[in-house]
Amino acid sequence: MPTTIKVNGVDRTVDVDSDTALLWVLRDVLGMTGTKFGCGMALCGACTVHVDGVATRSCITPIDSVSASEITTIEAIGATAAGAKIQKAWLDREVVQCGYCQSGQIMSASALLASNPHPTDSDIDDAMSGNICRCGTYVRIREAIKQAAQSNGQGG
Amino acid sequence: MILNHLTSPAAGPGRSPSANDFSRRSFLQAGAAAGGGLLLSLRLPFATGDAEAADGFAPNAFIGIGRDGQIVLTMPYVEMGQGTYTSIPMLIAEELEVDLKQVKLEHAPPNEKLYGNPLLGGVQATGNSNAIRAAWQPLRQAGAIARTMLVSAAAKRWNVDPASCRAQSGEVLHPPTGRSITYGKLAADAARVPIPKGVVLKRAEDFKLIGTPAKRLDTPSKVNGTAVYGIDVRPPGVKIATLAQSPVFGGRVKRVDDSAPRLSRACDRSYGSTTPSRSWPTIWGPRRKGWRRW
């Protein structure tokens, strides 16, 4: 049935079953393939998007649960202050290897930075532990989050 | 795993040590690019030396230099995080005397006859650490040949000795007169220059790019969602399949419930172990709901 969702500030009306996962609406219906399918069971984090600013696994998020929400994806995260800082840090630190999980990593990291401008190591662990990287880029991810946090200035 | 069982003939000492060992007839051809630039077509041997053995010329890599100076390399190696999309352009940029960022890379289309990798059983695939080994000599040689042709075209235009010119950062310079001209402006003329013989490749100690750290060229597209992975490709009419496995050993399909409207609309009703469909949600949803009975 037709459902309207707000993706990256734009209202999009899609005709899918009400329990269709947000991930498939983004990828297959709207053609926004930056958000990745990994496990389909919220175990890997590759599909992470923001729902009202909160990092959310889109693969298990039914479309009818987000019709009143603001959804942000990797395609538009650079337009947010935290997202732009994270993307720059990712480039400066050459975080990416194969890159398949990195959309989800960046979405989790930018949600963390938006809510916590100066995260501690344990804050980073808590926020990022659900995002798995088969290439093992974890060390650079942590460095990049710290670099992005430093650009927030002191006093946090 | 299969890669571990393959032989790995190395392009080691004694194998194509100089620029002149390749048969130019089978290795490289030059011509005008669509739109009026220079196009070099070459055959990457995939480290097996098949270029020498081939009867005809079947190029599997192309270097285009457009009138705008943009250098485009089309080649079949896949980037999987190993850095191929950065290291391969380095080989050309080193000898062509351009900045790494001036080389744009395009992936070759599927065509196993052209791009099949003999080290991988003829499949169009990348692996076994053979991209650099195979491309190391021919791509540097192609870069040197292109550079020599561009210098020749500039020397002819200025009516000077090519030896008095040199190439640097995408331009040909004539130091005695202080003149310079971009590759883009020379590309069309260079396409009419005969392929030079005996180009000499740089010695390792003269490398400016190779062996130096570089920012990966594919990273920007991987922090903003624009990189295209295999799962992101949607050819027209593509079918998508899912595998449903019996939860118990030896189980067989008893019943398939395709009554869900979206499922019956999307499926091709081919009930083997897979069910083709046009999109993931149409099969993923029903699969999760247990649309099969065992």
Side-chain angles (χ1 to χ4, degrees):
Chain A
M1 59 186 250
T3 307
T4 299
I5 56 173
K6 195 167 199 173
V7 182
N8 299 334
V10 179
D11 283 333
R12 309 292 296 262
T13 301
V14 295
D15 182 13
V16 296
D17 291 347
S18 59
D19 61 349
T20 304
L22 173 60
L23 172 65
W24 302 120
V25 174
L26 293 172
R27 288 185 55 84
D28 286 350
V29 182
L30 300 177
M32 300 169 68
T33 55
T35 305
K36 295 296 186 248
F37 165 69
C39 67
M41 293 182 280
L43 300 172
C44 76
C47 68
T48 305
V49 299
H50 291 184
V51 175
D52 295 325
V54 178
T56 304
R57 312 299 185 221
S58 64
C59 73
I60 57 155
T61 302
I63 184 76
D64 65 356
S65 71
V66 293
S67 54
S69 302
E70 298 268 353
I71 296 155
T72 307
T73 70
I74 185 70
E75 285 89 350
I77 196 62
T80 70
K85 284 173 186 170
I86 288 290
Q87 283 178 329
K88 180 178 184 305
W90 247 243
L91 291 171
D92 288 347
R93 298 278 170 167
E94 287 280 322
V95 168
V96 174
Q97 195 171 321
C98 92
Y100 193 82
C101 73
Q102 297 294 343
S103 293
Q105 303 280 5
I106 287 168
M107 296 308 285
S108 288
S110 46
L112 167 66
L113 204 65
S115 64
N116 180 353
H118 298 282
T120 63
D121 277 2
S122 110
D123 293 338
I124 293 174
D125 286 347
D126 287 346
M128 302 302 295
S129 63
N131 288 80
I132 296 172
C133 174
R134 199 273 191 190
C135 300
T137 60
Y138 303 111
V139 174
R140 293 197 297 276
I141 286 172
R142 180 188 295 276
E143 287 174 352
I145 292 173
K146 287 182 173 177
Q147 178 189 315
Q150 275 187 346
S151 62
N152 281 328
Q154 298 301 312
Chain B
M1 280 157 286
I2 190 172
L3 305 185
N4 295 332
H5 301 288
L6 295 164
T7 55
S8 306
R15 185 175 186 85
S16 304
S18 85
N20 298 322
D21 277 10
F22 281 91
S23 157
R24 272 181 304 280
R25 183 185 62 80
S26 60
F27 158 64
L28 184 143
Q29 290 182 357
L38 168 66
L39 182 71
L40 293 185
S41 310
L42 58 151
R43 176 83 197 162
L44 296 176
F46 285 112
T48 62
D50 69 335
E52 291 93 325
D55 285 340
F57 178 65
N60 58 10
F62 305 90
I63 302 168
I65 301 176
R67 290 183 166 190
D68 57 358
Q70 176 74 59
I71 294 145
V72 179
L73 168 66
T74 307
M75 62 98 195
Y77 301 118
V78 177
E79 171 65 64
M80 294 174 282
Q82 81 278 43
T84 288
Y85 276 17
T86 308
S87 57
I88 295 282
M90 260 186 174
L91 302 180
I92 292 177
E94 181 71 64
E95 287 290 347
L96 192 51
E97 296 293 353
V98 296
D99 297 332
L100 186 54
K101 283 184 178 174
Q102 285 178 258
V103 182
K104 182 170 170 257
L105 201 142
E106 282 183 356
H107 194 71
N111 184 338
E112 285 195 339
K113 279 187 179 166
L114 272 184
Y115 305 117
N117 186 332
L119 273 184
L120 300 172
V123 176
Q124 184 174 343
T126 304
N128 207 26
S129 298
N130 66 23
I132 282 289
R133 281 188 292 137
W136 171 248
Q137 179 95 3
L139 282 190
R140 285 186 304 136
Q141 192 179 26
I145 287 170
R147 184 197 71 232
T148 305
M149 292 167 77
L150 290 158
V151 168
S152 296
K156 191 175 177 190
R157 179 179 292 219
W158 292 330
N159 198 23
V160 298
D161 179 4
S164 65
C165 303
R166 67 187 170 89
Q168 181 184 305
S169 297
E171 292 185 324
V172 178
L173 313 177
H174 187 241
T177 56
R179 280 179 288 190
S180 67
I181 184 168
T182 64
Y183 284 0
K185 287 181 179 155
L186 291 167
D189 287 354
R192 293 190 287 271
V193 173
I195 295 175
K197 295 179 180 177
V199 296
V200 177
L201 301 183
K202 282 185 191 175
R203 294 171 302 173
E205 55 264 38
D206 296 328
F207 289 156
K208 292 182 210 157
L209 281 172
I210 294 171
T212 64
K215 292 273 185 189
R216 288 177 50 152
L217 300 180
D218 57 322
T219 304
S221 70
K222 291 176 175 174
V223 303
N224 63 16
T226 56
V228 176
Y229 291 78
I231 198 172
D232 303 327
V233 177
R234 285 288 183 278
V238 68
K239 308 283 187 185
I240 295 172
T242 187
L243 184 69
Q245 194 169 18
S246 169
V248 295
F249 184 73
R252 290 173 177 279
V253 176
K254 190 172 172 186
R255 186 167 67 84
V256 174
D257 177 10
D258 67 350
S259 60
R262 295 199 63 83
L263 185 63
S264 56
R265 195 168 83 196
C267 286
D268 276 359
R269 295 168 186 276
S270 51
Y271 301 128
S273 59
T274 58
T275 303
S277 162
R278 282 190 297 273
S279 87
W280 273 94
T282 54
I283 52 174
W284 193 252
R287 179 178 173 235
R288 284 173 58 100
K289 290 172 200 157
W291 57 281
R292 290 176 183 218
R293 291 289 172 266
W294 305 92

